[in-house]
Amino acid sequence: MIKFKPFCLLSFLVVFVAHLEAAPALVFDPENALISFAAADLEAALDEKGIDNLEVTLRVSPDAALAESFAISKSGSDSILITGTDPAGVMYGCLDLSESLRIGGLAAVEAKTVIPAMGMRGIKLNLPLDVRTPSYSDLGDAGQFNIPHVWDSVFWPEYIDELARHRYNFLSLWSLHPFPSLVKVPE
């Protein structure tokens, strides 16, 4: 006859139950930075909503004619497939799914195909480099207040991530000619 100590039996039950808990599964290529970024965003959305019994597969199905396009398809209530025509398409599909989950949970997720209407979606940023090289329209003090952010190494990754979340794929940085910053005039 086998005797179990109460502590050992309790430990076994805790480990067994922990393995029975469902957890969301994301199937994707972790080597691709765009897809990994979007997968991390999706994992956060799943955690926020407490969704733990869902399998999401992220797949690239190349089609050069439909750059950055994606399709979201559901199979029941426990499986979602995001197919993009390139890694950017998979990223945008994953970000779209994350938004749907945050807004209305799993019930808000609908099967859809999205083809961007514009190839380049971006912003023009007038870049204030320093006091000697202001931006194009520095009539106020906003440009001067933003100079420290331009040189902050933490600002740019966060800013570019937000641009991606809003489906921008282009960032145009503008500044006046850097000559005043390159030379020092005696007077």
Side-chain angles (χ1 to χ4, degrees):
M1 185 160 121
I2 300 174
K3 291 186 178 180
F4 288 102
K5 295 182 179 176
F7 178 75
C8 292
L9 183 59
L10 179 63
S11 298
F12 171 77
L13 288 174
V14 168
V15 171
F16 181 74
V17 170
H19 284 288
L20 286 179
E21 284 185 26
L26 286 174
V27 180
F28 67 98
D29 176 13
E31 297 295 316
N32 188 294
L34 296 175
I35 297 174
S36 293
F37 161 72
D41 202 65
L42 179 58
E43 285 178 335
L46 291 167
D47 286 344
E48 286 173 22
K49 289 297 186 177
I51 299 170
D52 57 6
N53 57 348
L54 182 67
E55 180 177 311
V56 181
T57 303
L58 311 176
R59 183 175 65 198
V60 177
S61 181
D63 186 349
L66 299 172
E68 299 181 347
S69 300
F70 66 88
I72 297 176
S73 58
K74 288 175 69 172
S75 176
S77 63
D78 61 347
S79 180
I80 295 176
L81 172 65
I82 298 175
T83 306
T85 57
D86 51 18
V90 173
M91 177 185 71
Y92 292 135
C94 198
L95 293 171
D96 188 274
L97 177 61
S98 298
E99 285 178 2
S100 295
L101 290 171
R102 284 186 172 109
I103 291 170
L106 200 52
V109 177
E110 297 177 358
K112 64 172 135 179
T113 300
V114 176
I115 301 170
M118 296 174 56
M120 287 180 66
R121 302 169 306 278
I123 64 166
K124 173 185 179 252
L125 181 62
N126 291 328
L127 202 60
L129 295 176
D130 60 24
V131 175
R132 295 169 295 168
T133 312
S135 176
Y136 281 96
S137 59
D138 278 345
L139 300 176
D141 54 6
Q144 298 304 312
F145 288 136
N146 286 316
I147 289 172
H149 299 292
V150 168
W151 296 104
D152 183 5
S153 61
V154 174
F155 167 76
W156 289 105
E158 290 176 0
Y159 184 66
I160 292 170
D161 288 350
E162 280 304 309
L163 290 175
R165 285 186 183 99
H166 295 284
R167 314 304 186 269
Y168 290 113
N169 63 2
F170 181 76
L171 174 61
S172 178
L173 301 175
W174 290 62
S175 182
L176 293 175
H177 197 284
F179 183 77
S181 296
L182 298 174
V183 297
K184 185 173 183 181
V185 180
E187 58 276 345

